[in-house]
């Protein structure tokens, strides 16, 4: 903004009021003698929008900086699972079958060993 003021000899405080003058002259059919004034007005409006944007971002950062820092940070909220969990019948039957087969093999091997030791 200071650069714009240093470059232009026109007082920028009266710029918003002179916009109405530009519109009135262009509607009346005045030749394009106000192009420098229009360019200055466009630069002023652009700088004003930039200033408003920067001021808004500054205020947002300032409020975030002044907020207290919490000790607990929640990464994800817990969501309950409404789906009922049932044990899988096929998996349970397969495990039971393998365990019973192994138990019966070891049982018969142990019984055979005990009977063979009694005979001697």
């Amino acid at each position: 903004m200071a650069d714009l003021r240093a470059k232009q000899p026109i007082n920028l405080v009266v710029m918003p009021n002179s916009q109405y003058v530009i519109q009135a002259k262009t509607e009346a059919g005045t030749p394009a003698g106000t192009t420098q004034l229009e360019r200055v007005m466009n630069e002023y409006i652009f700088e004003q929008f930039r200033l408003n944007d920067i001021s808004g971002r500054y205020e947002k950062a300032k409020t975030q900086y002044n907020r207290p820092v919490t000790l607990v940070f929640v990464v994800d909220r817990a969501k309950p699972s409404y789906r009922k969990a049932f044990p899988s019948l096929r998996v349970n039957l397969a495990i039971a079958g393998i365990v019973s087969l192994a138990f019966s093999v070891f049982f018969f091997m142990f019984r055979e060993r005990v009977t063979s030791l009694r005979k001697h």
Side-chain angles (χ1 to χ4, degrees):
M1 193 71 168
D3 294 339
L4 184 61
R5 286 184 182 160
K7 287 193 296 186
Q8 301 298 330
I10 300 170
N11 187 2
L12 293 177
V13 176
V14 296
M15 283 293 174
N17 294 333
S18 63
Q19 186 175 11
Y20 296 114
V21 174
I22 293 172
Q23 288 175 353
K25 285 187 179 182
T26 53
E27 289 173 0
T30 307
T34 60
T35 56
Q36 182 183 6
L37 184 59
E38 289 175 359
R39 185 170 26 89
V40 171
M41 281 294 298
N42 289 337
E43 288 178 18
Y44 172 75
I45 292 170
F46 173 73
E47 291 293 329
Q48 191 66 37
F49 282 138
R50 250 180 70 189
L51 178 66
N52 291 340
D53 182 45
I54 292 171
S55 298
R57 285 190 286 163
Y58 170 74
E59 290 298 324
K60 183 179 177 183
K62 185 176 165 184
T63 56
Q64 286 179 351
Y65 175 74
N66 289 333
R67 269 194 272 166
V69 178
T70 59
L71 297 177
V72 177
F73 293 101
V74 177
V75 177
D76 284 329
R77 299 267 181 216
K79 296 178 185 175
S81 175
Y82 296 109
R83 183 176 164 246
K84 293 185 178 182
F86 293 108
S88 175
L89 182 64
R90 291 180 184 176
V91 173
N92 285 344
L93 287 177
I95 291 173
I98 292 171
V99 168
S100 63
L101 179 67
F103 179 73
S104 62
V105 168
F106 286 124
F107 176 73
F108 287 120
M109 285 175 57
F110 180 73
R111 194 174 86 177
E112 183 68 31
R113 180 66 108 172
V114 169
T115 56
S116 69
L117 286 177
R118 285 191 182 171
K119 287 185 183 179
H120 287 298

